[in-house]
Amino acid sequence: MDKVYVEGMRFYGYHGAFQEETKLGQRFYADVVMEIDTEQAGNTDDLDDTVNYAEVYEAAKEVLEGEPVKLVETLTARTASLILERFAIVDAVTVKVKKPDPPIPGHYDGVAVEIRRERGFEKK
């Protein structure tokens, strides 16, 4: 399966388990990898035969700058679900959401959650 990448998206949201996170907000980064068949788009050179990167960005923005949640896991799962819902051409999606400055002790590059979901995925 072919893959389309939209990487390094940056957002500002009010998510977190601690009160200061939901009050002050913080940065979130997202990478999205969509598994699609790009043969048609490659032959037609028509945007309607693939995913529009700007629309993928807007879907991620809707979640990451939207309703506050406590967990990065929730942000990641909601982003994946929305992409599968909005883009019928996407057979599977991998989403990675990174919180570069979590309010926990230590010096590191942040924390991240990465998930892969495919069309028809149902948790039992």
Side-chain angles (χ1 to χ4, degrees):
M1 187 59 57
D2 305 326
K3 294 181 181 179
V4 174
Y5 295 77
V6 181
E7 299 178 307
M9 295 180 283
R10 296 173 184 243
F11 305 99
Y12 199 87
Y14 295 84
H15 313 287
F18 300 107
Q19 184 177 3
E20 62 268 21
E21 294 178 291
T22 59
K23 185 176 181 180
L24 300 174
Q26 61 193 303
R27 297 174 299 151
F28 293 88
Y29 302 151
D31 296 325
V32 173
V33 181
M34 295 159 287
E35 296 178 33
I36 70 171
D37 182 349
T38 64
E39 184 174 9
Q40 179 88 8
N43 290 330
T44 65
D45 197 31
D46 188 337
L47 183 57
D48 290 335
D49 292 330
T50 189
V51 292
N52 182 317
Y53 312 144
E55 290 176 4
V56 172
Y57 172 85
E58 289 301 323
K61 180 180 180 180
E62 187 175 317
V63 174
L64 292 161
E65 291 188 356
E67 176 187 350
V69 299
K70 292 178 184 172
L71 302 177
V72 177
E73 289 85 346
T74 305
L75 291 172
T76 310
R78 287 184 180 178
T79 302
S81 293
L82 188 57
I83 288 170
L84 288 174
E85 177 185 316
R86 291 222 177 130
F87 305 99
I89 193 171
V90 176
D91 294 317
V93 62
T94 300
V95 176
K96 179 178 178 181
V97 174
K98 181 177 182 179
K99 182 193 276 193
D101 302 304
I104 53 179
H107 297 283
Y108 44 86
D109 290 331
V111 297
V113 173
E114 180 176 288
I115 63 168
R116 182 181 181 277
R117 296 290 185 263
E118 53 188 78
R119 197 159 296 288
F121 172 82
E122 294 178 347
K123 184 113 178 161
K124 296 181 180 184

